[in-house]
Amino acid sequence: MSVHPPIVYPLVLQAPSFSTFTAMNWSVALLCTTLLAMMVIRRPARLGRFAVTSAGALNLIMQWPLALYSSQVESSLVNAWFFAFSAHVPTMCLIVWVILNRKLEPTQTQDRVVLLSDLTAPTVAMFGLLGAFLLFVPYYCTALFALLFDPSNTLLAREVTIKLAGSTVATSSYGAVANAAAPAVAGVSVVLALRALKDRNLVLLLACLMLVGVSFAAVMVAGSKGLLVSLFVVVAYCAVGASRTIIAKLALLMLSAILLVVLLTSFELLRERGGRLIPYDFKSCVIELGAGEVGREMLRSMASGGLTMTSDQVEAVLAQLDNDGAPLPTQVAPQIRAVTVERASTYLEALAYRAFVIPIQGAAWHHLYVQEHGSPGIGTLPLALRLLGYSVDATTLVYREYGAIYSGGDVTSTSTTPTSYFFAYPAYFGWFGLAVATALTLAVDLAAALAMRRTNRVFFAMGAGLLAVIAYNSLTSDLWTVMVSHGGGVALVLIIITSSLNRRGPSVPSQQQAS
């Protein structure tokens, strides 16, 4: 029986071992945290630099977990030092880049009154892109529909919504809604709602709250609770940016974080509440999406227990696909489960592990795969199929090799282990890949700096939040995927449009600015 490296299994936090590798990781992580904090405190406008948000994301999500789990990484990877450099070198380069290029820092113009009409562009984008998605995926096939009416099948519906859509237009449209348009609408709506509350403008307050609710629903269409992070990042940036006192900023930041944790946990509790109002018609959805064979393959791969489905439940759904009559229920006897503090605590711990451990662990798996099987080569790059005539899905190869062990054999045909280009490129192409990953990030920083060149306080906060979302998504995806499929390109367009609004519209009175 083969013994796998510790990094393959769920990681347990241990007391740090005293080694040069561990000391280096802790020292560099602490140095980068200190430099980033000093940079932002001295010049808050640097939060509008993509290089700063990328360095901050790398520091928080990659460098510190690497420091905490240094012993497991060092004992698992032959190239542990190079793996660590994949996190440290880009972070340090981005920090130095920002220090040396102060002219790229955004300049906040005189505040102007933000109007409800300023939400026209992001709102039109949200509804337009969501409509484009629903043209390919009917509303009754979405995970949000299952969550509301047949919660026991929410995870199955999520696979259908995301993995079986079968259209680049559909996936890219939804990615732009969840990571750009809806967060922008929600963020600015919250600012307007706070102002309406202060002015006792009930009509404006209700309109803004309605837009926030619609934005939330739009993000949850695919049933991926992780995408709520994008929405709340932008909301937090906007709420904090619109506040003028330190106490108000801290209070709103804390409130945003608490609401995010509550909603993420509530999603899992709602999904497991059981009951059924309207059965999720898997058969009709698969036929509608033209994914009959793919759907069957996905279901057969779930027979091992994936997505909390038993073999009997999988067979029931397969029978539904072959049945010409009414759709069969996918759960034989759904049970209503009580909400308990213990279950909520379990979900909270799982969320923390997924947010702060899974990214660095998944990145380590890609380096481990190259260590054991060699580099999958240039076929892993975006557009490889079009340019080279073939492609290699390294995310699937890595999951089948190590994710199956981590999850105890839970493997479906759609299971993948995505990772950041900061780690994938170095793993596959060595130091050259590391240089390319860093250079691409600097190029996006230049483009974002031009888009954020002159903007007011509210739209600056919105733009900075959208850049933070791009940076966060870049920790688990290729940069091309982030810009095209995860809404990064749409986010930059929205930043450019909202920045242009500063050249027109009424300004905030001087006495109000001083308040």
Side-chain angles (χ1 to χ4, degrees), residues 272-465:
E272 290 199 356
R273 74 185 187 276
R276 172 182 289 128
L277 296 176
I278 303 174
Y280 183 77
D281 194 347
F282 180 78
K283 175 184 177 180
S284 297
C285 291
V286 169
I287 294 175
E288 184 76 24
L289 296 174
E293 289 304 317
V294 178
R296 285 184 173 86
E297 180 185 354
M298 182 185 74
L299 284 170
R300 293 190 186 99
S301 68
M302 294 177 185
S304 61
L307 299 185
T308 68
M309 296 184 71
T310 65
S311 298
D312 291 339
Q313 292 161 0
V314 170
E315 290 300 323
V317 181
L318 285 172
Q320 174 185 327
L321 286 177
D322 298 326
N323 181 31
D324 294 331
L328 299 176
T330 58
Q331 294 275 13
V332 178
Q335 299 178 348
I336 298 178
R337 300 179 62 183
V339 175
T340 64
V341 175
E342 182 179 357
R343 286 173 59 216
S345 176
T346 300
Y347 288 132
L348 186 59
E349 291 178 8
L351 289 172
Y353 189 92
R354 182 176 181 82
F356 296 104
V357 182
I358 288 296
I360 194 69
Q361 189 171 19
W365 291 355
H366 282 259
H367 279 252
L368 181 62
Y369 184 88
V370 173
Q371 175 181 308
E372 296 183 345
H373 302 281
S375 172
I378 60 175
T380 59
L381 294 175
L383 302 178
L385 183 60
R386 293 185 179 182
L387 298 177
L388 305 176
Y390 74 96
S391 64
V392 179
D393 188 357
T395 62
T396 299
L397 295 176
V398 170
Y399 185 89
R400 291 176 179 175
E401 190 73 23
Y402 309 114
I405 301 170
Y406 172 88
S407 61
D410 182 0
V411 181
T412 69
S413 61
T414 56
S415 297
T416 60
T417 302
T419 191
S420 172
Y421 64 100
F422 283 115
F423 293 88
Y425 289 7
Y428 307 152
F429 311 114
W431 287 102
F432 175 76
L434 184 58
V436 169
T438 305
L440 288 174
T441 309
L442 297 181
V444 176
D445 179 65
L446 285 171
L450 294 175
M452 294 275 289
R453 191 61 180 167
R454 293 181 62 81
T455 183
N456 78 341
R457 188 157 49 94
V458 173
F459 293 128
F460 169 83
M462 184 206 76

Side-chain angles (χ1 to χ4, degrees), residues 488-504:
V490 173
L492 290 179
V493 172
L494 290 177
I495 291 172
I496 293 172
I497 292 174
T498 53
S499 294
S500 68
L501 295 175
N502 294 302
R503 292 190 291 269
R504 57 185 178 84

Side-chain angles (χ1 to χ4, degrees), residues 36-204:
L36 285 167
M38 292 175 60
M39 288 167 55
V40 173
I41 290 173
R42 292 184 61 184
R43 292 175 176 267
R46 283 173 171 164
L47 285 173
R49 291 286 300 276
F50 179 70
V52 172
T53 55
S54 292
L58 281 167
N59 179 245
L60 178 63
I61 307 297
M62 293 300 191
Q63 285 186 306
W64 279 112
L66 174 60
L68 292 171
Y69 296 102
S70 288
S71 57
Q72 291 96 322
V73 172
E74 187 175 18
S75 61
S76 300
L77 299 178
V78 173
N79 62 341
W81 281 84
F82 181 66
F83 175 74
F85 290 155
S86 299
H88 300 321
V89 171
T91 308
M92 292 297 298
C93 287
L94 292 172
I95 292 174
V96 172
W97 168 262
V98 172
I99 294 175
L100 296 179
N101 292 275
R102 294 183 179 181
K103 292 183 178 180
L104 295 178
E105 293 176 15
T107 301
Q108 293 189 38
T109 61
Q110 182 183 21
D111 279 347
R112 60 178 290 276
V113 177
V114 179
L115 306 173
L116 189 61
S117 59
D118 292 336
L119 282 172
T120 301
T123 303
V124 168
M126 180 177 71
F127 282 109
L129 291 166
L130 184 60
F133 172 77
L134 293 176
L135 286 176
F136 294 89
V137 182
Y139 74 92
Y140 54 82
C141 296
T142 64
L144 179 60
F145 180 89
L147 179 65
L148 295 175
F149 301 107
D150 191 2
S152 59
N153 284 315
T154 301
L155 294 182
L156 176 62
R158 184 187 67 185
E159 294 297 298
V160 172
T161 306
I162 298 177
K163 303 294 179 62
L164 301 186
S167 168
T168 303
V169 175
T171 54
S172 297
S173 296
Y174 175 70
V177 169
N179 293 297
V185 171
V188 180
S189 294
V190 166
V191 174
L192 290 172
L194 292 174
R195 193 182 77 195
L197 190 62
K198 179 181 178 181
D199 297 340
R200 299 181 182 179
N201 188 334
L202 182 60
V203 175
L204 179 60

